[in-house]
Amino acid sequence: WVMQSPDQHLEVLDVGCGTSTLPWALWNQGQRRVHAIDIDAAVIKSQQSLHNAEGLFFVEADITRQSLGEERFDFAVDKGTMDYLLCGELSAALQALSTVRRSLRRGGVLLLISIHPVSLWQAILKALKGHISFIELDSWSVPASTGDDRTAALALRRLDDVDDQMDGAQEAVARVMEQHFTTEAPLLTAERLDALREVWGEAEAKKTVEEAHVLLFPSAAEQAEYPMELFLEDLAEFLQTDPSKATLSLVDAEKFLGENQ
């Protein structure tokens, strides 16, 4: 996807590296300089202590609030960061995507790896046309090693003839997300309710917030997509009180799912 001359080093961006070994693996392929960023200062410090190599950089950065510069990178890879951001404020997720796009050189490519289906990302990208524009080069789904979950991957080239226009972008993507999560992949289904009732026990039984989170979202993929901190934010709005010491009944849990469809 990215043209490289024999004497050229690719500039590669790893978006939200976390504790992954991906930056090292990318650097170890040779003829590339890898810039791995993350919002967590402790994570960056740990990575720096583990991987000390020329051309491998770990930098603390918040792509929802700060620029990475203009046209610096030939290739960027995001493995789950956009998934996480989409669970929060949509405006922050779109700002992050715009930041990454602007940091790519003309013709640069973003490899987006997500637990969301390819079809959802294609719909989001269509809604963002004229706002934050990419062209899809390729897309595919990879079966998970266990269960029915699949990982989606999309190779996206930065479009050069369009500057990012954020006006209306959030509303356009919100409509796509609402359509997806209410009709194509609803949170509240008969199967989920049956499974929840089976594991909850007595309907009146009270569960701690931690127990409820696991029962409501039992798979590793769901918990990664909807971690405890985001669950607590939504629960605080649902309960209209501090949720940290709250307990939930089965009725509460079902109502929570319905309201957070």
Side-chain angles (χ1 to χ4, degrees), residues 43-227:
V43 162
I44 292 300
K45 186 176 181 180
S46 174
Q47 289 279 43
Q48 289 171 337
S49 66
L50 290 171
H51 305 296
N52 183 15
E54 184 178 353
L56 178 57
F57 310 97
F58 292 94
V59 180
E60 180 185 352
D62 180 358
I63 56 173
T64 69
R65 296 177 181 273
Q66 65 191 84
S67 171
L68 297 176
E70 302 289 329
E71 300 187 21
R72 290 181 58 196
F73 306 109
D74 302 291
F75 181 77
V77 58
D78 167 35
K79 187 166 67 72
T81 299
M82 287 304 304
D83 288 342
Y84 177 83
L85 292 173
L86 283 174
C87 293
E89 291 293 332
L90 191 53
S91 58
L94 296 181
Q95 183 58 56
L97 185 60
S98 174
T99 297
V100 171
R101 180 195 172 279
R102 286 185 283 106
S103 76
L104 287 170
R105 291 172 176 161
R106 294 182 179 273
V109 172
L110 167 63
L111 177 61
L112 182 65
I113 302 170
S114 173
I115 59 175
H116 293 306
V118 168
S119 59
L120 174 58
W121 277 109
Q122 289 172 332
I124 289 174
L125 293 166
K126 182 177 180 181
L128 285 174
K129 187 175 181 180
H131 299 288
I132 307 172
S133 294
F134 290 92
I135 184 170
E136 182 183 321
L137 301 177
D138 199 1
S139 61
W140 63 97
S141 296
V142 181
S145 56
T146 58
D148 297 327
D149 296 318
R150 300 176 70 86
T151 297
L154 298 94
L156 309 171
R157 190 182 303 282
R158 168 187 167 157
L159 283 180
D160 297 334
D161 57 347
V162 180
D163 292 328
D164 292 354
Q165 301 291 331
M166 302 301 285
D167 290 346
Q170 184 172 337
E171 293 78 7
V173 174
R175 289 192 292 271
V176 170
M177 299 286 284
E178 182 177 3
Q179 169 71 16
H180 177 77
F181 287 109
T182 55
T183 61
E184 298 173 37
L187 183 63
L188 188 60
T189 63
E191 293 80 6
R192 184 186 289 272
L193 283 177
D194 288 342
L196 181 62
R197 290 164 182 167
E198 183 176 344
V199 298
W200 196 276
E202 295 293 329
E204 296 78 16
K206 294 285 189 175
K207 306 293 184 183
T208 66
V209 171
E210 292 78 10
E211 291 171 333
H213 183 243
V214 172
L215 293 175
L216 284 165
F217 310 102
S219 74
E222 285 184 315
Q223 290 179 29
E225 182 180 3
Y226 192 46

Side-chain angles (χ1 to χ4, degrees), residues 21-39:
T21 58
L22 179 61
W24 175 262
L26 290 167
W27 176 87
N28 204 36
Q29 295 296 312
Q31 277 198 276
R32 61 199 62 185
R33 287 156 48 95
V34 176
H35 306 257
I37 63 170
D38 199 279
I39 195 174

